[in-house]
Amino acid sequence: MLVAVAGALSFVAMLDMNIVNVALAEIADGLHVPPATAQWAALGYQLPVVALLLPVGRWLDGGGARRALCAATGGFALCGALAGLAPWAAWLIAARIGQGACAAVLFVLMPVLVIRAVRPEVRGRAMSVPATLGPLGAVTGPAVGGPLLDHLGWRWVFLVKIPFCLAALALAWRAMPGDGAPRVPDRRSLADALLVGGGLAMLLLALTLGSGRPPWVLLAVAAVPPLWWWLRGPGGRAVAGVLRSAGLVRPHGAVLASAAGFAAMHYVVALHLQRDEGVSATATGLTVLAFPLGMGLAGPLGGRLADRYGPRPVAVTGAALTTAGLLLLTPPADAWSPPDVAWRLALAGVGMGLGGGPTQALIMGAAPADRTATVGSTVQAARSLGFTLGPALATAAWSGAGARAALTLAAGAAALAVPLLALPARRTPTGSDRTTAPAPP
């Protein structure tokens, strides 16, 4: 039951990342604000998600997962209702910021729920549920948002998810065992949260708004000092130490690279089909759906294979198939037809579905038992940064050399995941390991 809750909440939280983008023009008209102001309905959600992931992970390692999950799910639904009822833009943006903060808690807890709910021998199948449904939510956001806008209006983009949240809340409250209250963050934890959250928020703004706007690009430079101070402080050293000691640095790089390739591909394909090839919006939507179709079909198979043969070989195979599908998109980029694109997208989707759950199982299975929330937060942070970095790099490549260059970049990013997953883990012993190791003869 908890695996189903994790999958449903992953889908809903990722759906919210993209479904609002298709409604920005209608939001601007409905609230009588400029498009730049309406864009903050999306950024107001994304900023707290990225900024709070790592602090939330450290916080939830102290326990209190049941209360945190229920509070975040209820808060997500409440903020969605407030956003749907917003009478003016400031109200909407404030509601979206609150919803993003709740989503950060949900993203951290999804893999933690699964790792605690199942036996190790079925971990691959269980991890494939949220690992498949989350990206499916991101991909299907525009497809769901379009009909809602056409028939019900922009407010229903926020309201439609509330029944699913309430159902997940009821199931989680019944199924999760009580584990006390979350610990109260101390002053040092709050300072760490401000440093890493502020740095990541500035980096996200620079990547999202920086295309062709040098003042925004300067934010990326301004993000370096707080992130550096955080890495040198107790919070950053603790997170980095967990990843190094468990041999998880390379798999995290694979998650970031795969997410960047996926996001870049999704951005370029939809825009190129409509703008350069003259394909209708409906035909474009149906073509792009080949990716989530392949992903949805392969996700359960990837989990079963991981449980039988181990997560690493299945994750590597999935990453290789995703790379192959994206590479096959590059030759016909100058003369596309929807069928040519669809089967290549389906192949890439099969690879993503095949490898998503095993990659998650590989990472969470190696996480120390008392640091699962921290590792869950770092995985989600790597994925979120990849989702933001991919379109930003694709835009730069497209502006300089065209759609084929942007797709080549997407394939190259996805290809990086293959050696990062295939190479054996590099574990760095902790201080306690060094002191207890036997002396050489």
Side-chain angles (χ1 to χ4, degrees), residues 17-422:
M17 284 283 191
N18 285 338
I19 191 173
V20 177
N21 292 333
V22 302
L24 294 180
E26 286 76 5
I27 290 172
D29 292 340
L31 297 179
H32 310 292
V33 295
T37 301
Q39 187 178 8
W40 283 91
L43 282 175
Y45 180 84
Q46 296 169 2
L47 283 174
V49 167
V50 173
L52 295 177
L53 283 172
L54 294 176
V56 165
R58 291 271 291 157
W59 171 54
L60 289 177
D61 272 333
R66 182 174 186 254
R67 293 189 185 184
L69 177 68
C70 293
T73 305
F76 190 94
L78 175 61
C79 291
L82 292 174
L85 300 173
W88 53 79
W91 177 311
L92 173 62
I93 294 169
R96 291 291 285 167
I97 291 172
Q99 199 169 27
C102 293
V105 179
L106 296 180
F107 279 128
V108 170
L109 285 176
M110 292 310 99
V112 176
L113 285 183
V114 175
I115 206 77
R116 294 180 181 178
V118 300
R119 304 185 307 276
E121 57 267 25
V122 294
R123 188 174 288 160
R125 274 170 280 183
M127 282 293 180
S128 293
V129 176
T132 301
L133 289 178
L136 282 179
V139 173
T140 56
V144 174
L148 286 174
L149 287 175
D150 292 339
H151 299 289
L152 297 174
W154 66 266
R155 296 182 184 275
W156 281 93
V157 167
F158 303 105
L159 298 174
V160 71
K161 301 176 291 293
I162 294 176
F164 300 98
C165 293
L166 296 179
L169 175 60
L171 291 174
W173 183 260
R174 290 182 57 189
M176 285 190 72
D179 57 350
R183 60 182 174 87
V184 178
D186 57 20
R187 186 175 300 177
R188 177 175 291 178
S189 299
L190 292 175
D192 280 341
L194 287 174
L195 286 174
V196 68
L200 288 175
M202 286 189 287
L203 184 60
L204 175 66
L205 282 173
L207 292 172
T208 304
L209 303 176
S211 179
R213 304 178 190 176
W216 285 109
V217 176
L218 291 176
L219 269 181
V221 178
V224 173
L227 291 175
W228 175 255
W229 291 330
W230 174 76
L231 279 172
R232 302 296 295 174
R237 289 200 305 269
V239 171
V242 169
L243 299 185
R244 287 196 300 266
S245 64
L248 293 176
V249 175
R250 284 173 178 166
H252 276 70
V255 169
L256 190 151
S258 180
F262 160 74
M265 173 277 299
H266 190 256
Y267 171 78
V268 173
V269 167
L271 198 59
H272 184 54
L273 278 174
Q274 293 185 73
R275 193 177 76 176
D276 299 333
E277 300 297 328
V279 179
S280 68
T282 300
T284 298
L286 293 174
T287 302
V288 173
L289 283 177
F291 186 94
L293 179 62
M295 188 175 180
L297 291 174
L301 175 63
R304 291 182 177 276
L305 291 175
D307 289 334
R308 182 168 183 176
Y309 299 107
R312 189 181 301 276
V314 183
V316 172
T317 302
L321 285 175
T322 300
T323 302
L326 297 187
L327 282 173
L328 289 170
L329 279 170
T330 54
D334 295 330
W336 273 2
S337 68
D340 290 333
V341 176
W343 73 264
R344 292 168 168 86
L345 288 179
L347 177 61
V350 167
M352 185 72 77
L354 197 67
T359 300
Q360 192 97 324
L362 178 69
I363 293 173
M364 295 304 298
D370 59 342
R371 293 291 182 268
T372 53
T374 290
V375 174
S377 71
T378 55
V379 172
Q380 298 295 349
R383 184 174 287 114
S384 297
L385 287 176
F387 283 152
T388 306
L389 185 63
L393 293 177
T395 299
W398 196 340
S399 301
R404 178 175 291 182
L407 285 170
T408 302
L409 183 146
L416 284 176
V418 178
L420 289 172
L421 289 170

